[in-house]
Amino acid sequence: MLRAAALDKRYGRRAALREVELDVPAQRIIGLVGPNGAGKSTLLQLACGLIEPSAGTLTVLGRRPAADAAHLARVGFVAQDAPVYAGLSVAEHLRMGAKLNPGWDDGLARDRVAQAGLPLTQRAGRLSGGQRAQLALTLAAAKRPELLILDEPAAALDPLARDTFLRSLLESVAAIGASAILSSHLLADVERVCDYLIVLAGGRVQLAGDVTDLLATHFRRSGAAGDVRREPGAAGDVRREPGAAGDVGREPGDGSPPAGAGWMGGRSGRDGVEHVHGGVVRAEAAPAGAAPVELEELVLAYLGRATVEVSA
Ligand SMILES: Nc1ncnc2c1ncn2[C@@H]1O[C@H](COP(=O)(O)OP(=O)(O)OP(=O)(O)O)[C@@H](O)[C@H]1O
């Protein structure tokens, strides 16, 4: 569904993506996570055909992004901050969507608008942030795309609006049978809706795979519980909501490796066990005494390792 080979994107001399290799199957909801400047928006914009690769190849639904009008119709994009036309009403947005998109599903659009409680006569500029995000999602979903691409769609929303938005996203994806890729800084959101994960840092893919496979092949060495955030380089800006489960007693990096965590800051490969970071290891089967990891620990371990590698 989404394939990248030796994909590079440079802005002048700055490399935003380097040697990206991806092969994401269809029918997934993909979470794209990474700290600020990791290259998430760049990858999504490449996938939409808004920008061109500097080197390498990227295919979306088997073709070059935005290859032609027919291919454009197969992809729906919700850009960061859910842009809509402030001066147009909700109903006018739907009429515009119907005119511009050959596969427009007006029934789906009107159902979604009603479900989200968007007043048809209200100008988009007067909608709340959550309502604007719902309108942008409606416009993208009513195209009935095979792939929905969303760049931090819920970042500006309060927890309740985000919850409603994510539920609508899941319903829309299920209703149209699409794949979706969304970037987010909020691991709780990714954990909730995504079944495939891509971790980007420093323009490189640190980890990619089905969430169930990743969780089945990563473990925490005994004594390492919850220590990933206390390691040097643990990336602090991919975050959970304050108060979310698992946050109790965890503090951002205090600069010292955790006692008893088996921290090696690199890969050993010994006995088929690869040390990732922060007591998190990768192995086909659980090493003796190791415990399952949560998605948050997994992501932080790879981001922590990337930070250590960059600063080494
Ligand atoms: N139009 C541009 N011109 C020059 N540099 C750019 C441009 N867009 C992005 N960059 C740079 O490319 C890198 C990746 O940026 P990108 O916006 O893709 O990251 P991101 O992971 O989406 O970050 P954020 O989470 O802050 O949105 C950054 O170093 C950024 O400064």
Coordinates of all heavy atoms in Angstrom, one line a residue, residues 22-58:
L22 N 10.3 1.4 3.5 CA 9.0 1.0 4.1 C 8.2 0.1 3.2 O 8.4 0.2 2.0 CB 8.1 2.3 4.4 CG 8.5 3.2 5.5 CD1 7.6 4.5 5.4 CD2 8.3 2.5 6.9
D23 N 7.5 -0.8 3.8 CA 6.6 -1.7 3.0 C 5.4 -1.9 3.8 O 5.3 -2.9 4.5 CB 7.3 -3.0 2.6 CG 6.5 -3.8 1.6 OD1 5.4 -3.3 1.2 OD2 6.9 -4.8 1.2
V24 N 4.4 -1.0 3.8 CA 3.3 -1.1 4.7 C 2.1 -1.8 3.9 O 1.7 -1.3 2.8 CB 2.8 0.3 5.1 CG1 1.7 0.2 6.1 CG2 4.0 1.1 5.7
P25 N 1.6 -2.8 4.5 CA 0.5 -3.5 3.8 C -0.8 -2.7 3.9 O -0.9 -1.7 4.6 CB 0.3 -4.8 4.6 CG 1.2 -4.8 5.8 CD 1.9 -3.5 5.7
A26 N -1.8 -3.1 3.0 CA -3.1 -2.4 3.0 C -3.9 -2.7 4.2 O -3.6 -3.6 4.9 CB -3.8 -2.7 1.7
Q27 N -5.0 -2.0 4.4 CA -6.0 -2.3 5.4 C -5.4 -2.1 6.8 O -5.7 -2.9 7.7 CB -6.6 -3.7 5.3 CG -7.3 -3.9 4.0 CD -8.5 -3.0 3.8 OE1 -9.3 -2.8 4.7 NE2 -8.6 -2.3 2.6
R28 N -4.5 -1.2 7.0 CA -4.0 -0.9 8.3 C -4.3 0.5 8.7 O -4.6 1.4 7.8 CB -2.4 -1.0 8.3 CG -1.9 -2.4 7.9 CD -2.2 -3.4 9.1 NE -1.4 -4.6 8.9 CZ -1.7 -5.5 8.1 NH1 -2.7 -5.4 7.2 NH2 -0.9 -6.6 8.0
I29 N -4.3 0.8 10.0 CA -4.4 2.1 10.5 C -3.0 2.4 11.1 O -2.6 1.7 12.0 CB -5.5 2.3 11.5 CG1 -6.8 2.0 10.9 CG2 -5.5 3.8 12.0 CD1 -8.0 2.3 11.8
I30 N -2.2 3.2 10.4 CA -0.8 3.4 10.7 C -0.6 4.6 11.5 O -1.0 5.7 11.2 CB 0.0 3.5 9.3 CG1 -0.3 2.3 8.5 CG2 1.5 3.7 9.6 CD1 -0.5 2.7 7.0
G31 N 0.1 4.4 12.6 CA 0.5 5.5 13.5 C 1.9 5.9 13.1 O 2.8 5.1 13.1
L32 N 2.1 7.2 12.8 CA 3.5 7.7 12.5 C 3.9 8.6 13.6 O 3.3 9.7 13.8 CB 3.4 8.5 11.1 CG 4.6 9.2 10.6 CD1 5.7 8.2 10.3 CD2 4.3 9.9 9.3
V33 N 4.9 8.2 14.4 CA 5.3 9.0 15.6 C 6.8 9.3 15.5 O 7.6 8.7 14.8 CB 5.0 8.2 16.9 CG1 3.5 7.8 17.0 CG2 5.9 7.0 17.0
G34 N 7.1 10.4 16.2 CA 8.5 10.9 16.2 C 8.5 12.3 16.8 O 7.5 13.0 16.8
P35 N 9.7 12.7 17.3 CA 9.7 14.0 17.9 C 9.6 15.1 16.8 O 9.6 14.9 15.6 CB 11.1 14.1 18.5 CG 11.9 13.0 17.9 CD 10.9 12.0 17.4
N36 N 9.5 16.4 17.3 CA 9.5 17.5 16.3 C 10.6 17.5 15.4 O 11.8 17.2 15.8 CB 9.5 18.9 17.1 CG 8.3 19.1 17.9 OD1 8.3 19.3 19.1 ND2 7.2 19.2 17.3
G37 N 10.3 17.7 14.1 CA 11.4 17.7 13.1 C 11.8 16.4 12.6 O 12.8 16.2 11.9
A38 N 11.1 15.3 13.1 CA 11.6 13.9 12.7 C 11.4 13.6 11.2 O 12.0 12.8 10.7 CB 10.8 12.9 13.5
G39 N 10.5 14.4 10.6 CA 10.2 14.2 9.2 C 8.8 13.6 8.9 O 8.5 13.2 7.8
K40 N 7.9 13.6 9.9 CA 6.6 13.0 9.7 C 5.8 13.8 8.6 O 5.3 13.2 7.7 CB 5.8 13.1 11.1 CG 6.5 12.4 12.2 CD 5.7 12.4 13.5 CE 5.5 13.8 14.0 NZ 6.8 14.5 14.5
S41 N 5.7 15.1 8.8 CA 4.9 15.9 7.8 C 5.5 15.7 6.4 O 4.8 15.6 5.4 CB 4.9 17.4 8.1 OG 4.2 17.5 9.3
T42 N 6.9 15.7 6.4 CA 7.5 15.5 5.1 C 7.1 14.2 4.4 O 6.8 14.2 3.2 CB 9.1 15.6 5.3 OG1 9.4 16.9 5.8 CG2 9.8 15.4 4.0
L43 N 7.1 13.1 5.2 CA 6.7 11.8 4.6 C 5.3 11.9 4.1 O 4.9 11.4 3.1 CB 6.9 10.7 5.7 CG 6.6 9.3 5.2 CD1 7.4 8.9 4.0 CD2 6.8 8.3 6.4
L44 N 4.4 12.5 4.9 CA 3.0 12.5 4.6 C 2.8 13.4 3.3 O 2.0 13.1 2.4 CB 2.1 13.0 5.7 CG 2.1 12.2 7.0 CD1 1.2 12.7 8.0 CD2 1.7 10.7 6.6
Q45 N 3.5 14.5 3.3 CA 3.4 15.4 2.1 C 3.9 14.7 0.8 O 3.4 14.9 -0.3 CB 4.1 16.7 2.3 CG 3.3 17.6 3.3 CD 4.1 18.8 3.7 OE1 5.0 19.2 3.0 NE2 3.7 19.4 4.8
L46 N 5.0 13.9 1.0 CA 5.5 13.1 -0.2 C 4.4 12.1 -0.6 O 4.1 11.9 -1.8 CB 6.7 12.3 0.2 CG 8.0 13.2 0.3 CD1 9.1 12.4 1.1 CD2 8.5 13.6 -1.1
A47 N 3.7 11.5 0.4 CA 2.7 10.4 0.1 C 1.5 11.1 -0.6 O 0.8 10.4 -1.4 CB 2.3 9.7 1.4
C48 N 1.2 12.3 -0.4 CA 0.1 13.0 -1.1 C 0.6 13.6 -2.4 O -0.3 14.1 -3.1 CB -0.4 14.2 -0.2 SG -1.1 13.7 1.3
G49 N 1.8 13.6 -2.7 CA 2.3 14.2 -3.9 C 2.4 15.7 -3.9 O 2.6 16.4 -4.9
L50 N 2.4 16.3 -2.6 CA 2.5 17.7 -2.5 C 4.0 18.2 -2.7 O 4.2 19.3 -3.1 CB 2.1 18.2 -1.1 CG 0.6 18.1 -0.9 CD1 0.3 18.4 0.6 CD2 -0.2 19.1 -1.8
I51 N 4.9 17.3 -2.4 CA 6.3 17.5 -2.7 C 6.9 16.3 -3.3 O 6.3 15.2 -3.3 CB 7.1 17.9 -1.4 CG1 6.9 16.8 -0.3 CG2 6.7 19.3 -0.8 CD1 7.7 17.1 1.0
E52 N 8.1 16.5 -3.9 CA 8.8 15.4 -4.6 C 10.0 14.9 -3.9 O 10.7 15.7 -3.2 CB 9.3 15.9 -6.0 CG 8.3 16.4 -6.9 CD 7.7 15.2 -7.7 OE1 8.4 14.3 -8.0 OE2 6.5 15.3 -8.1
P53 N 10.3 13.6 -3.9 CA 11.5 13.1 -3.3 C 12.8 13.7 -3.9 O 12.7 14.1 -5.1 CB 11.5 11.6 -3.6 CG 10.1 11.2 -4.1 CD 9.5 12.5 -4.7
S54 N 13.8 13.8 -3.1 CA 15.1 14.2 -3.7 C 15.8 13.0 -4.3 O 16.6 13.2 -5.2 CB 16.0 14.8 -2.5 OG 15.3 15.8 -1.9
A55 N 15.6 11.8 -3.7 CA 16.2 10.6 -4.2 C 15.3 9.4 -3.8 O 14.6 9.5 -2.8 CB 17.6 10.4 -3.8
G56 N 15.5 8.3 -4.5 CA 14.7 7.1 -4.1 C 13.3 7.1 -4.6 O 12.9 8.0 -5.4
T57 N 12.5 6.2 -4.2 CA 11.1 6.1 -4.7 C 10.1 5.9 -3.6 O 10.4 5.4 -2.5 CB 11.0 4.8 -5.7 OG1 11.4 3.7 -4.9 CG2 11.8 5.0 -6.9
L58 N 8.9 6.4 -3.9 CA 7.8 6.2 -3.0 C 6.6 5.9 -3.8 O 6.3 6.5 -4.8 CB 7.5 7.5 -2.2 CG 6.4 7.4 -1.2 CD1 6.6 6.5 -0.1 CD2 6.0 8.8 -0.7

